[in-house]
Amino acid sequence: MTSPLLTRIAAEHAAALTAQSATPQSLAHRRTALQGLLARGLPTPRDENWRYANLRPLEKANFTPGTAAPALSAAQLPAAIDGFTRFVFVDGQFAPQLSAPPGAVGAALVTRLQGELASDEQAFALLNEAFATDGADIQVAATETPVDLEVLFYSASGAAAYPRLNVRLAPNARLRLIERHIGAAAPAQFINSVVRVAIAASAACTHYRLQETGNAATWTDTVRATVARDARYDLHLLQLGALAARSSVDIALAGPAAQTRVDTVALADGQQVHDTMIVVDHQAAHTQTRENFRGIAAGRARIGFNGLVIVRDAAHHADSAQSLKGLIAGTDAEIDLRPQLEIHTDEVRCSHGATTGKLDDAMLFYLLTRGIEPAVAQRLLKWAFITDVVAAIDVPALRVHVQRSLASHMQDAQSLEDLLS
Amino acid sequence: MLIVEDLHVSVGTTQVLKGLNLTVPTGEVHAIMGPNGSGKSTLSYVLAGRPGYIVTSGAVTFDGQDLLALAPEERARSGLFLGFQYPVEIPGVNNVYLLKAALNAARKHRGLQEVDAFEFLGLVREKMKLMQMPETFLSRGVNEGFSGGEKKRNEILQMLVLEPRLAILDETDSGLDIDALKVVAAGVSSLRDANRSFVLVTHYQRLLDHIVPDKVHVLAGGRILRSGDHTLAHELERRGYDWVVSEAA
């Protein structure tokens, strides 16, 4: 497959490799990844699962990563969350002066991920493989008290960034991981991350992913999680930033009684496009999924959410519930919700609900009759729409951060300050 | 306090109120009774300013100002309160936040300072005790998961906190058991004074055993057909509405 875009990517790739010092096997691996990408091609809006994504900014994107991380001071970063050990990457490169020293953190071992990740068929994962230079490798041993880590990816310049995280939990390990993506408002950046999470038996990982990149950014990611017997994976996904963002999450419930909960909040305004696709694959018996999505689109923004739940032959007594809700807050805004079920066995319990609408007139009138300003009443109802999903964030300081971020995106700092107090 | 003159209101293509006249002087409690579909709820909604209720002719004066020219929130801040027949559930907006925001909106309108948090909680606790509501209600979503009776108590609680000039209570008594009815009546009575007026919209006379009204009006076919003192309520309970309608015809 070839296209002007792929040809340009190949040229940028060749130039980037000569500029980097890398081991021969690493170079070979990246060339293989690029070949994979060129053979496969990038997705287009004609692909069923990419209909709602905005891929056009890729035509103008710069794919070449920076060679040196720009200097950044700790004051330019958001406040750290109490008790969480922080590691910072700037433009995809580890920033030791802003980070805790790599090594042991409680039951975890955090090191730089400079090797390769297992191959992936997904186009954007291959693109990451082809260009990525740095990342974090997190291994967690069995522990009673969870290890609390934060990995922060900051995009400072117009260079492309390819963040990578490889997370492995041993049996009975516990991890709470904050993964934050933030960035300067300008210039436009291309950020393409890959995250792998492998959770062994009876381990538990709570993963908070905050996409708060600059609003000129193009953001794509590929997340793959495997959850073994009696293990659990809770994913909180916040989609706030970027001009065009697309998240692709695959969760395999591979062992009996594996569980996952995925809560997503997306807020889009202006010309933003946020598209999220989450696939949960029930491969074993008694596996459980709880999936919630709340999206508010204002202005001319578009939000897409595609939640596919697959229940395989072996997954008898699987139990899944999806609750997807969209709120249209702009006359030209659009929300597309697609709950999908693919069931290959009997004896399952799968429910799903998807609703998209405008603010409820009866609720609005009720608030007005109590003397509340119409603009405040509208913001209150928007806030109410997402609040249950935000409330599920069980790290109080992080929850407050998320609430404030949401409030500032709703341009409603004042009334929400009141609400939080 | 409230003067309604020759009010005509349509909802969609249906003319519901057809020349309604009503005067509620300051300090009085008026009951409006009438059969289903007579326009009682329409009157409540149109006074509160609900969109979709179109005034085709007539006038409403509240405290000397043209009520119909005000937006719903301005009516509320001027001291008009509507107790809903079916209070709306608003999950995610908590009760105490709404109470405080509503009170501060009214205070600001009157040129008063915002109430401080400590004073506010004291006030709310006192009113909740009167309404026999547990404090856990405060942290819940507005009317979220409340029973019918709890919702009605919550309406009265809001009224007690806001201390309106005119309260219109739309079938606040329907769906209440005797004990809840007494609590609601006690709430209303505690606020009854020479500077405040009430319009109680009701189907039944039993609420009026606890809150004796100054006047009772019969609303049928979109107009007030008969007015009298509190004994009219008993007569209606005994004889139904048909005789009023046929005498008026």
Side-chain angles (χ1 to χ4, degrees):
Chain A
M1 186 177 285
T2 182
S3 71
L5 179 57
L6 289 174
T7 308
R8 184 160 67 82
I9 289 172
E12 285 196 42
H13 188 256
L17 287 203
T18 50
Q20 283 168 0
S21 54
T23 60
Q25 76 254 53
S26 165
L27 285 177
H29 177 75
R30 290 190 216 178
R31 289 202 178 97
T32 308
L34 183 79
Q35 289 312 314
L37 172 67
L38 295 178
R40 203 193 169 290
L42 284 163
T44 76
R46 286 184 297 280
D47 295 323
E48 184 63 16
N49 291 331
W50 292 82
R51 272 162 60 185
Y52 306 119
N54 178 13
L55 300 167
R56 265 170 304 150
L58 292 177
E59 303 290 342
K60 290 184 187 158
N62 165 36
F63 295 95
T64 307
T67 45
L72 202 68
S73 78
Q76 289 170 269
L77 302 178
I81 303 294
D82 229 14
F84 281 73
T85 304
R86 175 180 270 183
F87 299 89
V88 179
F89 290 78
V90 178
D91 285 347
Q93 310 202 43
F94 184 58
Q97 74 285 5
L98 299 171
S99 304
V105 180
L109 182 66
V110 182
T111 54
R112 287 172 75 173
L113 172 71
Q114 286 165 312
E116 49 260 18
L117 282 169
S119 70
D120 195 307
E121 290 299 298
Q122 223 275 356
F124 283 101
L126 290 167
L127 183 61
N128 177 289
E129 273 310 279
F131 281 100
T133 51
D134 209 344
D137 185 88
I138 298 167
Q139 294 182 50
V140 188
T143 168
E144 291 274 315
T145 47
V147 176
D148 290 342
L149 301 177
E150 178 188 5
V151 183
L152 193 157
F153 295 99
Y154 190 98
S155 297
S157 72
Y162 297 92
R164 313 219 277 175
L165 272 178
N166 190 38
V167 180
R168 278 172 292 169
L169 276 75
N172 297 302
R174 299 272 178 281
L175 172 68
R176 298 197 297 179
L177 173 66
I178 300 171
E179 177 195 348
R180 270 205 255 205
H181 297 263
I182 58 176
Q189 303 132 344
F190 174 60
I191 304 152
N192 174 28
S193 21
V194 165
V195 177
R196 294 288 165 77
V197 182
I199 305 171
S202 304
C205 176
T206 307
H207 189 177
Y208 313 89
R209 302 192 76 219
L210 278 47
Q211 191 276 101
E212 302 182 80
T213 58
N215 44 23
T218 300
W219 199 77
T220 55
D221 70 0
T222 312
V223 179
R224 263 181 212 282
T226 312
V227 190
R229 167 189 289 269
D230 296 318
R232 87 172 278 131
Y233 180 55
D234 289 342
L235 175 62
H236 301 265
L237 190 57
L238 181 72
Q239 288 277 24
L240 275 184
L243 183 61
R246 157 73 187 212
S247 272
S248 307
V249 179
D250 269 274
I251 299 168
L253 299 176
Q259 296 188 6
T260 187
R261 173 181 170 130
V262 185
D263 282 349
T264 306
V265 175
L267 224 60
D269 201 347
Q271 309 270 5
Q272 281 185 300
V273 179
H274 285 161
D275 182 35
T276 305
M277 168 135 197
I278 294 180
V279 180
V280 181
D281 190 349
H282 291 251
Q283 299 170 352
H286 299 281
T287 43
Q288 192 193 73
T289 299
R290 291 291 175 267
E291 185 173 283
N292 296 298
F293 174 80
R294 301 289 180 268
I296 304 179
R300 308 185 55 187
R302 279 192 300 146
I303 291 177
F305 184 88
N306 197 339
L308 170 62
V309 173
I310 303 168
V311 181
R312 306 272 174 200
D313 280 353
H316 54 85
H317 297 94
D319 174 2
S320 102
Q322 289 175 290
S323 159
L324 317 181
K325 293 184 188 172
L327 179 62
I328 295 182
T331 43
D332 295 315
E334 183 183 322
I335 297 182
D336 300 283
L337 305 177
R338 289 178 73 201
Q340 301 182 69
L341 284 171
E342 194 186 303
I343 300 175
H344 301 279
T345 183
D346 300 330
E347 296 270 345
V348 295
R349 201 165 64 188
C350 294
S351 69
H352 62 84
T355 54
T356 298
K358 301 194 169 184
L359 286 177
D360 185 287
D361 287 336
M363 291 184 188
L364 206 51
F365 177 63
Y366 188 84
L367 292 175
L368 298 182
T369 65
R370 298 321 185 227
I372 311 291
E373 277 291 333
V376 175
Q378 291 187 7
R379 289 185 300 222
L380 261 179
L381 291 178
K382 283 192 213 168
W383 188 255
F385 184 78
I386 52 174
T387 192
D388 57 334
V389 173
V390 177
I393 296 174
D394 55 356
V395 178
L398 183 68
R399 185 171 61 239
V400 170
H401 165 81
V402 168
Q403 286 171 327
R404 288 190 199 290
S405 270
L406 289 165
S408 81
H409 275 256
M410 289 186 194
Q411 296 163 348
D412 188 27
Q414 186 50 53
S415 71
L416 293 169
E417 284 291 324
D418 294 351
L419 190 68
L420 301 176
S421 65
Chain B
M1 161 111 32
L2 180 74
I3 303 165
V4 181
E5 293 169 290
D6 195 32
L7 189 65
H8 290 71
V9 174
S10 51
V11 182
T13 55
T14 313
Q15 183 88 37
V16 183
L17 298 184
K18 304 165 183 169
L20 186 141
N21 290 287
L22 175 69
T23 299
V24 183
T26 304
E28 292 195 0
V29 175
H30 286 212
I32 295 183
M33 303 180 72
N36 288 328
S38 59
K40 300 191 301 294
S41 285
T42 297
L43 176 62
S44 306
Y45 281 145
V46 83
L47 293 177
R50 182 161 198 151
Y53 290 73
I54 311 299
V55 176
T56 51
S57 69
V60 181
T61 314
F62 171 57
D63 262 346
Q65 43 181 348
D66 176 5
L67 185 74
L68 301 178
L70 301 178
E73 67 279 10
E74 295 168 328
R75 299 180 194 199
R77 287 181 226 144
S78 304
L80 184 141
F81 178 87
L82 171 64
F84 281 67
Q85 183 182 358
Y86 302 108
V88 181
E89 295 197 20
I90 313 181
V93 173
N94 89 30
N95 251 325
V96 72
Y97 176 78
L98 176 60
L99 276 171
K100 197 171 163 198
L103 178 60
N104 281 331
R107 289 177 66 96
K108 198 173 157 194
H109 182 79
R110 286 181 224 145
L112 299 172
Q113 283 212 315
E114 292 203 345
V115 64
D116 82 72
F118 190 73
E119 197 184 326
F120 172 73
L121 270 182
L123 171 77
V124 171
R125 288 205 176 108
E126 176 201 320
K127 306 295 186 190
M128 288 184 82
K129 203 175 279 175
L130 185 64
M131 296 315 294
Q132 300 182 12
M133 291 167 78
E135 259 189 52
T136 50
F137 274 50
L138 285 179
S139 54
R140 286 167 62 180
V142 173
N143 294 318
E144 186 182 4
F146 287 21
S147 71
E150 288 169 340
K151 285 179 183 170
K152 298 298 177 73
R153 284 186 208 208
N154 200 29
E155 294 292 286
I156 301 302
L157 174 71
Q158 293 178 14
M159 181 187 78
L160 294 180
V161 170
L162 294 175
E163 302 186 330
R165 293 266 297 146
L166 170 67
I168 301 160
L169 303 180
D170 187 6
E171 298 202 23
T172 298
D173 53 338
S174 64
L176 293 186
D177 61 32
I178 295 293
D179 292 333
L181 188 73
K182 281 184 186 163
V183 171
V184 164
V188 172
S189 299
S190 75
L191 212 58
R192 190 171 180 175
D193 69 23
N195 297 314
R196 222 181 298 282
S197 308
F198 291 85
V199 174
L200 309 177
V201 175
T202 180
H203 262 301
Y204 307 105
Q205 160 267 329
R206 57 175 201 162
L207 176 69
L208 307 179
D209 286 342
H210 300 278
I211 311 167
V212 179
D214 297 295
K215 275 235 168 81
V216 174
H217 307 276
V218 180
L219 172 56
R223 297 167 63 193
I224 301 288
L225 296 186
R226 193 181 193 95
S227 300
D229 64 12
H230 66 96
T231 58
L232 177 57
H234 291 275
E235 197 174 355
L236 291 169
E237 188 77 3
R238 225 177 37 246
R239 299 176 62 190
Y241 293 110
D242 289 350
W243 65 277
V244 182
V245 177
S246 52
E247 276 186 23

